[in-house]
Amino acid sequence: MRASFDPDMEEPAAEQLILIVEDNPDHIQTIQQTLAQTTLQPQIIAIGNGEQAMQFLRQQGDYASTRRPDLILLDLNLPGKDGRELLAELKADPQLRRIPVVVLTMSTEETDILNSYTLQGNCYVIKSSDLEQLAQIVKRIEEFWLEIVTLPGE
């Protein structure tokens, strides 16, 4: 049964959109399945390379009618334009820099951690190669970034 519109009620919040920039199909599937089981059930877009992710973020080409994400989960090790380059470009753009970026990567390199924060990544999370542990990490990210934190509007 569809609910009717009541002008005295507040409009429901728009569905939150998460952009996953990741090239590992197993990780994408685990992240998508985990987020689909959460209370908020955000809309999820997965893109496997930095060039295409930047087109999405700038609403170019096939992505002209999409809206910008509320949160980005970014792997550093991507083909072509990697996550480091994407993060630098994203945070240098005045229209995109406010979008929170969770660097979610396998890299434990101190230089990657330092550079991600220097480039204004919002947090750095080392993901597990164990898919069950990855799912637990994603649940915690979702709880914090979508349930606790107040995100800026578009």
Side-chain angles (χ1 to χ4, degrees), residues 89-117:
E89 195 172 336
L90 174 76
K91 293 301 184 174
D93 186 318
Q95 294 183 1
L96 302 175
R97 72 175 69 157
R98 68 160 183 78
I99 302 170
V101 177
V102 174
V103 176
L104 181 61
T105 187
M106 300 283 288
S107 175
T108 59
E109 294 294 321
E110 190 63 35
T111 56
D112 281 337
I113 297 168
L114 179 61
N115 287 338
S116 293
Y117 283 111

Side-chain angles (χ1 to χ4, degrees), residues 17-133:
L17 174 62
I18 297 177
L19 173 62
I20 303 168
V21 187
E22 169 68 63
D23 65 327
N24 182 318
D26 292 335
H27 291 178
I28 292 170
Q29 183 178 15
T30 298
I31 293 167
Q32 287 177 321
Q33 287 175 344
T34 301
L35 292 172
Q37 296 170 6
T38 63
T39 305
L40 297 176
Q41 296 182 341
Q43 180 183 358
I44 304 160
I45 304 288
I47 296 178
N49 66 66
E51 291 88 1
Q52 193 175 0
M54 197 46 107
Q55 286 178 358
F56 178 89
L57 291 165
R58 290 198 170 130
Q59 299 169 314
Q60 298 170 334
D62 292 340
Y63 305 112
S65 63
T66 60
R67 68 182 179 92
R68 295 216 166 99
D70 298 295
L71 180 66
I72 299 170
L73 303 181
L74 176 65
D75 187 20
L76 293 181
N77 300 312
L78 300 168
K81 181 185 292 191
D82 71 9
R84 296 159 192 85
E85 294 171 283
L86 180 63
L87 181 59
E89 195 172 336
L90 174 76
K91 293 301 184 174
D93 186 318
Q95 294 183 1
L96 302 175
R97 72 175 69 157
R98 68 160 183 78
I99 302 170
V101 177
V102 174
V103 176
L104 181 61
T105 187
M106 300 283 288
S107 175
T108 59
E109 294 294 321
E110 190 63 35
T111 56
D112 281 337
I113 297 168
L114 179 61
N115 287 338
S116 293
Y117 283 111
T118 300
L119 292 171
Q120 300 175 0
N122 295 85
C123 65
Y124 193 98
V125 179
I126 298 169
K127 65 182 171 184
S128 174
S129 58
D130 178 275
L131 297 180
E132 286 185 33
Q133 287 181 355

Side-chain angles (χ1 to χ4, degrees), residues 1-20:
M1 183 170 160
R2 188 179 169 140
S4 61
F5 176 73
D6 181 348
D8 295 328
M9 292 182 64
E10 282 187 35
E11 267 189 56
E15 182 180 40
Q16 291 175 312
L17 174 62
I18 297 177
L19 173 62
I20 303 168

